Amino acid sequence: SVVAPAVRGAACPPLELIQECSLEPCPVDCEMGSWDGWSTCTAQCNGGVRERVRRVLKLGSHGGRQCGATTDAEACNIQACDSDCTLTPWSEWSACTRSCGGGTQQRTRSVQADPVGGGSCASQDSFARVRHQSCAETPCEEELLDNGAEISLVCKEKLDVVILLDGGASAADAVGFFSFQEVAGHLVENLKPPKGTSEEDGPHFGVQVFGGALKSDKCMLGSGSGDVDLNSDCGIQWLKHLCDPEIDPNSAQKQPLKDKLMSFKFPGGTSLASEALGAAESELLHGREDARSVVIIFSAGFPFSAQKTAQAAQRLKTKARVMWVAVMREGATPDTSPLLRELEPWTSPPLSENLIGIRGGFSTLSKERTAKILAGRICNSEGLL
């Protein structure tokens, strides 16, 4: 500050001195954008790499925070290329297949994740995916099976039952085919629902006869040329579809299903079991979603094409329980019958429940006792009354 101002003397020197300072630039930190999504893995198995990137929005300078990496990578799909399928936990045990006399229960495992690469998966009917145990081992009362036609069983289970009758040469003649008709009619009678049960909640039936004089070779040769008529080309005739009422209100005759069965004439000729099974698979598309599906085939001979029948049976087994009733040749037993050996892989497990060999020829098959035994196997223990 000025103590004594100048009077005619020298001027006072400057009272302030200004000089520049902190001339270096301020630090600038780097600014980066968000990471983009991960790229597709470079391999589907045995280990690959996937990457992601981000952009630099502003470079760091003058001692500010520098930018980080603009790319990132990590390992992916490190599982082996050849991995087996993954199965679900075991299901609960099913209802017993019989109410008495010894039945079976089963529990299953489904495929949760498909196999990868050369990995494998146990078949649907293998021991790894289906287990059985005995149940209802109390002997049945004799009157359940031998009281005669005046007593019928009652089934309250919701079933879609498709019955296939071999009407070809394997039935031998009209007498043998009549035996098929007879036991099928008794079977329908013994699977009727209790009184008061609505038609929707009881068993539904589809009945097919396969056999006859074929008008072309389209089905036998699988030529695939032109439209195929199931009746004339394949010998497939439906007496009743699953969705048809048991008594057609539009029919003047109003025949019950059992009467329709008994009045059908023996077709004879060639029977194509493979086409019959394929038609049964298509028929199940018209069934009820919440009903248990059963297909039961009555036959007494070997199919026209074992290979095609095997393929059709394998497909059908994924949609329904497949049962075979086979009339064995005279002198044959279940252990020695070539026909039963042929039918084994085409039958749903367990074979003890679903593959029935009839001894004694067609006369034994026609007895109502046989139909009651079959009804007891088809309707589970919770549904049979």
Side-chain angles (χ1 to χ4, degrees):
S1 61
V2 177
V3 178
V7 179
R8 297 182 182 180
C12 292
L15 298 179
E16 293 181 340
L17 178 61
I18 298 175
Q19 67 177 13
E20 294 179 343
C21 62
S22 300
L23 296 178
E24 66 277 3
C26 293
V28 176
D29 292 337
C30 171
E31 294 183 13
M32 305 194 74
S34 301
W35 287 105
D36 291 341
W38 288 104
S39 67
T40 303
C41 191
T42 57
Q44 294 184 347
C45 52
N46 276 352
V49 177
R50 63 178 185 174
E51 297 178 327
R52 60 179 180 175
V53 297
R54 58 180 177 176
R55 293 184 302 161
V56 175
L57 303 178
K58 182 188 292 186
L59 291 171
S61 59
H62 310 305
R65 185 176 63 252
Q66 296 301 302
C67 296
T70 57
T71 62
D72 187 20
E74 69 177 10
C76 53
N77 291 341
I78 60 175
Q79 74 279 3
C81 284
D82 298 335
S83 60
D84 295 339
C85 70
T86 303
L87 300 177
T88 62
W90 287 103
S91 67
E92 297 295 326
W93 288 105
S94 67
C96 191
T97 56
R98 300 188 192 182
S99 58
C100 59
T104 58
Q105 293 173 289
Q106 76 170 20
R107 60 178 182 174
T108 59
R109 301 175 74 186
S110 303
V111 176
Q112 192 172 52
D114 293 330
V116 178
S120 62
C121 199
S123 62
Q124 188 176 14
D125 55 358
S126 66
F127 186 72
R129 291 183 56 184
V130 61
R131 299 287 173 85
H132 298 95
Q133 68 177 12
S134 300
C135 57
E137 297 179 342
T138 304
C140 294
E141 296 293 335
E142 285 299 317
E143 59 265 23
L144 180 67
L145 299 178
D146 291 325
N147 263 347
E150 71 277 10
I151 300 296
S152 292
L153 304 178
V154 173
C155 181
K156 66 177 182 179
E157 187 180 3
K158 200 169 188 177
L159 293 170
D160 283 341
V161 182
V162 179
I163 300 173
L164 309 185
L165 304 180
D166 187 348
S170 66
D173 53 25
V175 176
F177 181 69
F178 182 79
S179 297
F180 284 156
Q181 294 171 285
E182 198 172 23
V183 72
H186 286 315
L187 178 60
V188 169
E189 289 294 311
N190 282 282
L191 285 176
K192 282 189 173 181
K195 290 183 179 180
T197 303
S198 68
E199 184 176 347
E200 177 60 27
D201 292 331
H204 283 190
F205 298 96
V207 180
Q208 176 207 124
V209 175
F210 60 103
L214 308 184
K215 295 182 179 180
S216 77
D217 59 2
K218 292 179 181 178
C219 274
M220 289 191 293
L221 300 181
S223 60
S225 58
D227 295 331
V228 175
D229 185 286
L230 284 178
N231 189 343
S232 62
D233 296 327
C234 307
I236 305 297
Q237 301 182 68
W238 286 98
L239 278 65
K240 180 184 179 298
H241 291 283
L242 282 172
C243 55
D244 295 339
E246 181 173 344
I247 298 179
D248 187 354
N250 299 317
S251 171
Q253 296 181 333
K254 293 182 170 55
Q255 281 185 304
L257 178 56
K258 184 177 179 181
D259 292 345
K260 289 183 181 179
L261 272 165
M262 302 310 296
S263 62
F264 191 83
K265 293 184 179 180
F266 171 56
T270 303
S271 59
L272 302 179
S274 59
E275 301 301 325
L277 296 179
E281 181 182 359
S282 299
E283 178 70 9
L284 293 175
L285 297 174
H286 304 289
R288 296 163 293 179
E289 291 185 2
D290 56 344
R292 187 164 63 88
S293 299
V294 180
V295 177
I296 181 166
I297 307 102
F298 293 89
S299 185
F302 294 89
F304 180 83
S305 171
Q307 181 180 5
K308 290 183 178 180
T309 303
Q311 294 170 349
Q314 291 304 321
R315 291 193 303 269
L316 186 58
K317 284 165 61 177
T318 65
K319 309 288 195 314
R321 175 185 177 186
V322 178
M323 304 176 67
W324 290 81
V325 178
V327 179
M328 297 183 293
R329 294 178 179 177
E330 187 175 351
T333 66
D335 293 330
T336 62
S337 171
L339 178 57
L340 295 192
R341 300 291 80 75
E342 177 97 331
L343 298 177
E344 282 182 359
W346 308 340
T347 306
S348 296
L351 296 179
S352 60
E353 291 293 322
N354 297 318
L355 181 57
I356 301 99
I358 303 296
R359 302 188 191 189
F362 285 101
S363 60
T364 303
L365 178 65
S366 65
K367 293 179 179 178
E368 188 181 4
R369 181 179 186 274
T370 303
K372 287 186 175 181
I373 292 175
L374 293 175
R377 294 191 181 189
I378 293 173
C379 189
N380 67 41
S381 60
E382 296 178 357
L384 191 64
L385 300 178

